[in-house]
Amino acid sequence: MHVPDVSVVVIVYNDAERLSTAVQSVLDQTLHGVEVVIVDDCSKDRSYAVAQELEAAHPGRVRAFRLPENSGGCGAPRNHGIQQATGTYVMFLDSDDVLERNACRNMLDAAERTGSDLVSGMCVRVHLDNRWGKTTEWYPWIYSRTRTLESITDFPDLLVYDTLSTNKCYRRAFLLEQGLEFPVGIHYEDLLFSAQAYVAARRITLIPNHVYFWNVIEKAAAKSISNRRHEIANFIHRMEIHRRVDELLASKGHTDIKSAKDAKFLKHDLVLHLRDLPLLSDEYRQEFARLANGYLAGIDPAAYENVTYLQAICAYLLGKEDWDNLLPAADAMTNKGRLSSPLAERDGRVYWCADHLDGADAAEARRILDVTEQGFHTTPLTSLQLGNRLTSYEDDGRGTVTLSGAVVNPLGRIPADAELKASLEFRARRQIGVRSFSFPVATVRHAGDTIEWSGSADIGSTVRPLGIIDAVWDVRLKLTAGGNKITTRVSVGGVDLEKAARLRVRPRLTRLVSDRFEPEVTKKGNLSYVLTAEGAAAVRTRSLIDNAIQGKAANVVKRGLRKALRVRRNIGSGEQKVKVYHEVFSKLPVKKGTVVFESHMGKQYSDSPKAIYEELVRQGVPFEAIWSYAGKPTGFPKEATLVRRWSWAYLRALAQAEYWVDNQGFPLALAKRAGTTYIQTWHGSALKRMGFHEPRTKAQGKAGQAKFQAAVDRFDHFLIRSEHDARTLAKGFRLRDEVLLRTGYPRNDALVEAQLSEAQSGERVRGPLAAELGIDPEKKVLLYAPTFRAAADGTVEGFVFPFDVEEFAERLGDRFTLLVRTHYLNSVSLPPSVEGRVIDVSRHHDITPLLALADGLITDYSSVMFDYAVLDRPMVFFAYDYEKYANDIRGTYFDLKEKAPGPVVATADELLQALSAFEEADAKFAEARQRFLTEFGEYDRGDAARRIVEKFFTGSGK
């Protein structure tokens, strides 16, 4: 009898509808030696009957089994499947998911090639109810390349983060020899099983291929077991599984893995439950605290250093059972960026709350509660998302609602003498035109740490929804405090809306489908209203629809309803917009003289697109400028037409533009028309490998590489500033030589001009920016501009200084003013103690004026080094993690230590010493700077913008 290569155990419970699809994904594998073992967990529907039908239809390939009674989890049916499997390898599949077509082949090849007990590939979450077809790769950084581990200690992150059992292929003999089984009678069985397998495996191989598609329905009526976080039993099971994993790690002496796992617990497991706390009862909270604190007592203290500030604060306050300060912190964690605490300032530092700062564990409290680096004390009030908690909710049972709440006033930044005004805004979440209604708030007053407000809204006679396509309405408070205009969402907090009445409304389209506004708490705990039906007419209409569906015209009615719902669901979706772009807007005529500009995906008015735009304006060239922006259009030129990125206006502008000018990349899904010229200015020479030179691009497979190639093939012209760019960037993007424009970067024209002016006059002209920043004219100016950094899992957090800025200010603040400019995806904040000596300039869109102002540059691996070289001024390279950066999988084009035109230092002490000897470094590296500029900036001659304008817009350069 032929032994299958792989047995795929498919478990099912009450899922007859989807079982066939899951099994078919196994039968369709490109590896033919695969059997399917279906284990039904004693379903109440036709699941087992479907399994038997599949067995009959595919004899020898599908076998079906049924447990005598329901086990209540995934463990028992999977264990039964292991016993019944006959393949050399075993995989697991849930009935509502599917395997990637090549999953078995790719995993088998890796296992046979390396002799591994366990092979793991990438899982992809498919969000079925997302109208944009959203997919999410599960911890892709773990699977960035193929790697084989001799022990889990070679790569502890695998055990810590990828706790799934379903994206793996196990040698069946290994499972039987080790006696590996899923725990039964307890949820989160994957966590323990995968940990046991990782620890026991003699060799593990990771492959960068998609193997498993995990289908997710966020708004499912029946929540999965792991998503029922409001049930305390759920948390009890989670704690028990974590204790068992801890015991396993302790028995093997894996203390380092335990510490990393503790950080993951604080960042993920605990957070999942903390987010729900503001909406749950006091009884639940007390039991939750008892269970959690028993476990938190055994957490490695070092784990707190590897989590976000809010995660650490929440865990600490939970330990204190300080609900008054914990619940706002949990709310802030759910609503990213929200400041929900009034804060406290002590000794030049800012803290989440004043409590615990002077107790027996004051040192620990101050360490964890310190939020100085988040910059809440320096960020403009209008840029802060202030917490706004509902304190009471009343309605008259008809159409009027009275709301009261309190807006956080952090550190009293809204002064007591500030004039206050406010209004309540009800806004349709899905915008079809502008759909919002405002009501003045009757009472707004200062109340210490908060601004209290109360107002009524006659929704019934004023708010007029369309009725079908604007079903959800959000509530915002618009507060004017002095000169600050602040908009906040209204969080429900502890206010009970269970008995709130449905408010009568009059939809503009029809009242036959909906005629009531029902208050609802969103997933993030905010107040919203949903259109529902309650009136007699609506009820009769629903009854008629129900009857029609049961009658002879059922199919016609169903098709009509499906079509109507599909249209409603797709309005404004990414898929629909791309379709309209190609099928409608791209059929419109190209508008001569129209130029769409974009910098860093709309986040800035800056860089070479800005320089080209301003040169066009300076020369008086007749053209229509359209600038793309993301977020708010603050700082963009008012003379241009401004369009929000991905809006309908943006798509139409791109479709009809004669020119596209940007420095990063217009949306990949949008094809460029033949009548449009794409001028790609790019945003820096390369130290890191780019494009097809990157291992990750190579690992994408043919489809992924083809998509990337199509995106870069849109470039008609690509600006370079040296032959280094031609050898690296151009080759990495597979650009033809005729596409390259050897003009230099327009953004650097101003730097070339500044350098020439200084060389001719012998003096440095600082200009108005120095005065704007309040820089002492007697001090040298240093600019610290590090490269972009993200957490290991790809998330973007606030920037963390690799040196002590307070020590810098104390030791060198009398000689230097330090400007800090982080990458636009990062953010930074400074302690109040360094005010005036260290200045955050990250909010300045354009870095070029900052480079021109600086007497010296401190960077690590940022491409800003190539631009600053034009100025022939000192540079210091603070490469504190050089080996990690240079030797990671992406690789570099050259050794920075060999070519750096300035000292390369590895520690904070070395950095401060190098800055102390600033003038010496200036003279010592003068020749190195010239060599560096010759190699990496040979085409930066100060006329790039003029040459681009003449070549494309005036004709004089053609």
Side-chain angles (χ1 to χ4, degrees), residues 603-827:
K603 292 182 173 67
Q604 297 180 354
Y605 171 61
S606 67
D607 213 84
S608 292
K610 173 187 175 184
I612 294 172
Y613 165 77
E614 292 183 349
E615 179 66 15
L616 283 164
V617 173
R618 189 187 67 78
Q619 291 194 28
V621 177
F623 75 110
E624 181 184 353
I626 300 173
W627 268 95
S628 153
Y629 70 90
K632 297 180 180 179
T634 307
F636 286 80
K638 296 179 181 178
E639 299 79 12
T641 300
L642 305 183
V643 294
R644 190 177 68 254
R645 201 170 196 264
W646 270 113
S647 67
W648 290 112
Y650 172 80
L651 296 175
R652 180 165 182 167
L654 283 177
Q656 292 192 269
E658 184 179 7
Y659 292 97
W660 291 0
V661 180
D662 93 310
N663 66 352
Q664 192 153 344
F666 288 108
L668 302 183
L670 305 181
K672 181 184 70 69
R673 299 175 66 177
T676 300
T677 298
Y678 191 165
I679 303 172
Q680 173 55 258
T681 70
W682 204 240
H683 53 273
S685 299
L687 171 60
K688 275 279 192 178
R689 294 188 178 275
M690 301 292 293
F692 288 97
H693 292 162
E694 289 188 57
R696 169 163 287 197
T697 306
K698 297 175 182 177
Q700 284 182 345
K702 291 183 179 179
Q705 291 184 23
K707 184 178 180 181
F708 182 72
Q709 186 67 63
V712 297
D713 282 347
R714 297 179 302 173
F715 304 161
D716 294 300
H717 305 283
F718 187 89
L719 274 56
I720 62 171
R721 55 196 304 266
S722 68
E723 287 306 303
H724 167 77
D725 290 352
R727 294 189 300 270
T728 56
L729 285 170
K731 297 293 186 188
F733 292 149
R734 295 180 179 173
L735 300 176
R736 305 182 311 279
D737 190 70
E738 58 265 29
V739 171
L740 306 183
L741 289 181
R742 290 169 167 83
T743 59
Y745 283 168
R747 73 182 186 190
N748 288 342
D749 290 350
L751 301 181
V752 174
E753 182 181 351
Q755 196 279 328
L756 290 174
S757 175
E758 183 180 341
Q760 292 170 1
S761 67
E763 64 177 275
R764 177 80 45 81
V765 178
R766 286 186 165 178
L769 181 57
E772 178 188 329
L773 296 173
I775 294 174
D776 185 340
E778 299 300 319
K779 293 182 181 181
K780 295 281 188 182
V781 177
L782 298 177
L783 175 65
Y784 178 47
T787 192
F788 168 69
R789 295 177 186 276
D793 59 1
T795 59
V796 179
E797 303 291 350
F799 176 76
V800 178
F801 278 99
F803 62 92
D804 190 334
V805 288
E806 290 181 299
E807 184 179 0
F808 169 89
E810 184 177 340
R811 287 175 56 176
L812 300 174
D814 58 338
R815 291 177 55 196
F816 300 106
T817 297
L818 181 67
L819 307 181
V820 179
R821 174 49 151 75
T822 61
H823 188 279
Y824 70 91
L825 289 175
N826 288 129
S827 59

Side-chain angles (χ1 to χ4, degrees), residues 562-580:
R562 277 198 297 267
K563 183 176 180 180
L565 290 172
R566 186 163 57 248
V567 171
R568 174 181 167 184
R569 186 166 55 246
N570 287 339
I571 289 177
S573 71
E575 180 183 355
Q576 186 76 358
K577 284 185 172 180
V578 171
K579 185 176 181 181
V580 171

Side-chain angles (χ1 to χ4, degrees), residues 849-874:
L850 298 170
L851 294 174
L853 172 62
D855 297 294
L857 174 72
I858 307 168
T859 188
D860 42 20
Y861 323 107
S862 172
S863 65
V864 75
M865 71 175 81
F866 302 107
D867 303 295
Y868 196 74
V870 171
L871 291 164
D872 190 25
R873 297 176 191 169

